[in-house]
């Protein structure tokens, strides 16, 4: 659900921090909510999307690696969409 939500918001060009804040409202699983709050704070402090995820074990290393690649090639929204489809 996190991937689907983030994918839709990012494709709509919602800024990442705003998208994370909206995702928190849609996800009702406390460990992910906590991770998203932490990610939002880390991004506001200058960390990348993938680096902010890496601090939370709830996100598999493979997933974080894909997000890092998505950032590097400036296609994070597409990489999140691909992961949303894979984890469905």
């Amino acid at each position: 659900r996190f991937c689907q939500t983030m994918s839709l918001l990012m494709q709509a060009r919602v800024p990442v921090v705003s998208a994370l804040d909206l995702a928190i409202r849609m996800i009702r699983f406390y460990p992910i909510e906590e991770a998203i709050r932490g990610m939002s704070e880390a991004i506001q402090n200058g960390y990348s999307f993938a680096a902010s995820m890496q601090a939370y074990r709830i996100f598999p290393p493979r997933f974080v690696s894909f997000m890092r690649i998505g950032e590097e090639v400036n296609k994070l929204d597409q990489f999140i969409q691909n992961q949303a489809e894979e984890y469905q």
Side-chain angles (χ1 to χ4, degrees), residues 12-27:
R13 301 293 178 223
V14 174
V16 174
V17 172
S18 297
L20 288 169
D21 292 342
L22 290 168
I24 289 170
R25 297 177 190 171
M26 299 185 75
I27 295 170

Side-chain angles (χ1 to χ4, degrees), residues 10-78:
M10 292 185 78
Q11 286 175 8
R13 301 293 178 223
V14 174
V16 174
V17 172
S18 297
L20 288 169
D21 292 342
L22 290 168
I24 289 170
R25 297 177 190 171
M26 299 185 75
I27 295 170
R28 298 286 183 232
F29 184 60
Y30 183 76
I32 292 179
E33 288 177 35
E34 270 307 294
I36 294 170
R37 278 189 188 88
M39 288 174 60
S40 180
E41 185 176 318
I43 291 168
Q44 289 176 46
N45 289 322
Y47 289 88
S48 71
F49 188 82
S52 70
M53 293 183 103
Q54 199 166 12
Y56 300 94
R57 291 185 180 179
I58 197 157
F59 300 110
R62 181 173 177 264
F63 181 81
V64 175
S65 293
F66 276 115
M67 296 304 102
R68 183 172 289 111
I69 294 167
E71 284 180 305
E72 289 173 3
V73 298
N74 201 28
K75 294 187 179 188
L76 184 58
D77 59 336
Q78 292 175 13

Side-chain angles (χ1 to χ4, degrees), residues 2-11 16 19-20 23 49 80:
F2 170 72
C3 290
Q4 292 170 334
T5 301
M6 287 300 294
S7 174
L8 289 172
L9 292 170
M10 292 185 78
Q11 286 175 8
V16 174
L20 288 169
F49 188 82
I80 291 175

